[in-house]
Amino acid sequence: METREIVDPEVFFNATGCLRNLSSADAGRHTMRNYPGLIDSVMTYTQNCVAASRPDDKSVENCICILHNLSYRLDAEVPNKYTQLNHVARNAYVDKTLTGCFNSRSGKLENDEYVLPIPDEEYKPRGPSWLYHSDAIRTYLNLMDQSKKDATLEACAGALQNLTASRGLMSNAMSQLIGLKEKGLPRIARLLQSSNSEVVRSGASLLSNMSRHPILHKTMAPQVLPDVSRLLAFQSGNNSNFGDIMSSACYTMRNLIMSNPQMAKPYLTSSMLNNVVNLCRNGSCPKAAEAARLLLGDLWSHRELQGILKQVRKLSVSLVLIVS
């Protein structure tokens, strides 16, 4: 008996294109997450294409963009296993601060201080639980390896960016899953070399999110600092994403270098530092200018790094003016 596809590929492409548009709106996102079988079908189709070495099947781009949109604000909008853990962490923090009258910490909750159990994954995820499952993470990373389409690469990085964007335990767990368990950092760092500024922006933002978690610093630094420092040294300001890209790169550099200042020395090139100084004076990118100022201020605060900074004569004068 001759086999044939249940749904015509063109019909499926058009249908997923409509869903892609609907998923970008708040109402559509909320409805689609709860629609039985929708996420399961989109994810299964994508995984089947990856397994069949068809990463650039035209419907895959639509499917990944749908999953990207549905993962937006997931931690805030969809109750999940991390919601209860966040509650436990906050209660533990309150108990700790009440019993310690002379706590030297500020009032900020740092989830990395708590050794809390990461919830077991569902063996067969369904619906929204697919969106933060390790199989989904693996699918996004595999597509980053295989796909040649910028829109697909951007959507994969964007979905991971959404999962790591919050300040809660989901961000911590997803960052560890991406960087440590699935060893995805080299694939993300390669996105920074793209000629497409949207792809670079998504990759840079994802790395910035992940760099907030100290548990990843030792692994992240050698794998991403070469590309991040190169980005800061050579990224041009002739695209609309320049401010976002540079802001993310500065925060990533700052987080990783401050965890081990000695490791920073090979990356503090004169071209990179001069670009960061110029960024501080860029009135058209206030967000990036602030990130650059904070990076330079932290670099200048370490005596072991001041010597390197002072070697760049013109730069040392500029730094004194900026950070003073």
Side-chain angles (χ1 to χ4, degrees), residues 157-283:
L160 298 179
Q161 176 193 341
N162 286 340
L163 295 177
T164 58
S166 75
R167 296 285 177 173
L169 289 170
M170 175 179 279
S171 174
N172 188 314
M174 293 297 102
S175 295
Q176 291 186 59
L177 185 59
I178 296 164
L180 302 181
K181 184 178 178 182
E182 298 299 334
K183 298 178 172 36
L185 289 166
R187 282 169 274 189
I188 300 168
R190 280 200 298 271
L191 299 181
L192 304 188
Q193 302 172 20
S194 173
S195 60
N196 185 299
S197 68
E198 296 286 349
V199 174
V200 177
R201 179 186 58 79
S202 291
S205 181
L206 171 57
L207 291 175
S208 179
N209 289 348
M210 294 175 67
S211 73
R212 298 196 310 253
H213 303 290
I215 194 171
L216 272 76
H217 286 175
K218 185 177 179 180
T219 301
M220 282 190 75
Q223 296 189 60
V224 308
L225 275 180
D227 288 295
V228 172
S229 61
R230 195 176 301 117
L231 191 66
L232 284 169
F234 300 112
Q235 175 73 15
S236 63
N238 60 356
N239 67 76
S240 60
N241 293 309
F242 174 76
D244 289 338
I245 291 170
M246 298 305 277
S247 175
S248 294
C250 283
Y251 284 124
T252 300
M253 179 71 72
R254 181 187 179 209
N255 289 338
L256 296 181
I257 283 180
M258 289 306 99
S259 70
N260 186 349
Q262 281 292 335
M263 179 190 58
K265 294 181 178 180
Y267 306 106
L268 299 180
T269 63
S270 58
S271 57
M272 189 273 277
L273 291 169
N274 277 308
N275 270 10
V276 175
V277 168
N278 291 334
L279 190 61
C280 290
R281 299 166 174 159
N282 190 332

Side-chain angles (χ1 to χ4, degrees), residues 300-313:
W300 192 255
S301 70
H302 285 269
R303 288 188 176 182
E304 57 199 293
L305 299 181
Q306 281 185 12
I308 297 175
L309 301 178
K310 288 176 180 178
Q311 289 174 11
V312 186
R313 294 179 182 177

Side-chain angles (χ1 to χ4, degrees), residues 310-321:
K310 288 176 180 178
Q311 289 174 11
V312 186
R313 294 179 182 177
K314 293 181 181 179
L315 176 62
S316 62
V317 175
S318 299
L319 279 169
V320 172
L321 294 174

Side-chain angles (χ1 to χ4, degrees), residues 36-305:
L38 192 150
I39 295 176
D40 309 61
S41 299
V42 170
M43 185 67 76
T44 299
Y45 182 87
T46 302
Q47 291 180 324
N48 287 343
C49 286
V50 172
S53 298
R54 292 190 290 124
D56 291 327
D57 173 285
K58 64 181 182 179
S59 292
V60 167
E61 178 186 325
N62 284 340
C63 289
I64 290 296
C65 288
I66 291 169
L67 296 169
H68 172 203
N69 290 337
L70 296 186
S71 66
Y72 179 66
R73 290 182 53 82
L74 184 69
D75 203 16
E77 295 177 355
V78 179
N80 55 66
K81 295 181 179 181
Y82 295 96
T83 307
Q84 181 61 32
L85 287 182
N86 281 329
H87 179 71
V88 171
R90 288 186 173 88
N91 285 344
Y93 177 75
V94 170
D95 290 343
K96 182 180 178 181
T97 54
L98 286 176
T99 56
C101 297
F102 299 100
N103 196 319
S104 61
R105 289 276 189 177
S106 66
K108 183 179 179 182
L109 169 62
E110 296 288 351
N111 289 318
D112 293 284
E113 294 180 16
Y114 299 95
V115 182
L116 295 174
I118 300 301
D120 293 331
E121 292 188 314
E122 296 179 27
Y123 177 66
K124 292 184 177 181
R126 298 176 62 184
S129 62
W130 258 120
L131 298 172
Y132 55 94
H133 196 273
S134 61
D135 286 348
I137 304 297
R138 201 170 301 118
T139 298
Y140 300 144
L141 293 173
N142 285 337
L143 276 172
M144 286 184 190
D145 264 343
Q146 300 177 23
S147 179
K148 306 298 183 186
K149 297 179 72 172
D150 287 336
T152 299
L153 296 175
E154 179 197 349
C156 288
L160 298 179
Q161 176 193 341
N162 286 340
L163 295 177
T164 58
S166 75
R167 296 285 177 173
L169 289 170
M170 175 179 279
S171 174
N172 188 314
M174 293 297 102
S175 295
Q176 291 186 59
L177 185 59
I178 296 164
L180 302 181
K181 184 178 178 182
E182 298 299 334
K183 298 178 172 36
L185 289 166
R187 282 169 274 189
I188 300 168
R190 280 200 298 271
L191 299 181
L192 304 188
Q193 302 172 20
S194 173
S195 60
N196 185 299
S197 68
E198 296 286 349
V199 174
V200 177
R201 179 186 58 79
S202 291
S205 181
L206 171 57
L207 291 175
S208 179
N209 289 348
M210 294 175 67
S211 73
R212 298 196 310 253
H213 303 290
I215 194 171
L216 272 76
H217 286 175
K218 185 177 179 180
T219 301
M220 282 190 75
Q223 296 189 60
V224 308
L225 275 180
D227 288 295
V228 172
S229 61
R230 195 176 301 117
L231 191 66
L232 284 169
F234 300 112
Q235 175 73 15
S236 63
N238 60 356
N239 67 76
S240 60
N241 293 309
F242 174 76
D244 289 338
I245 291 170
M246 298 305 277
S247 175
S248 294
C250 283
Y251 284 124
T252 300
M253 179 71 72
R254 181 187 179 209
N255 289 338
L256 296 181
I257 283 180
M258 289 306 99
S259 70
N260 186 349
Q262 281 292 335
M263 179 190 58
K265 294 181 178 180
Y267 306 106
L268 299 180
T269 63
S270 58
S271 57
M272 189 273 277
L273 291 169
N274 277 308
N275 270 10
V276 175
V277 168
N278 291 334
L279 190 61
C280 290
R281 299 166 174 159
N282 190 332
S284 62
C285 299
K287 182 180 174 183
E290 174 64 10
R293 187 189 65 78
L294 291 172
L295 170 60
L296 292 174
D298 278 353
L299 292 175
W300 192 255
S301 70
H302 285 269
R303 288 188 176 182
E304 57 199 293
L305 299 181

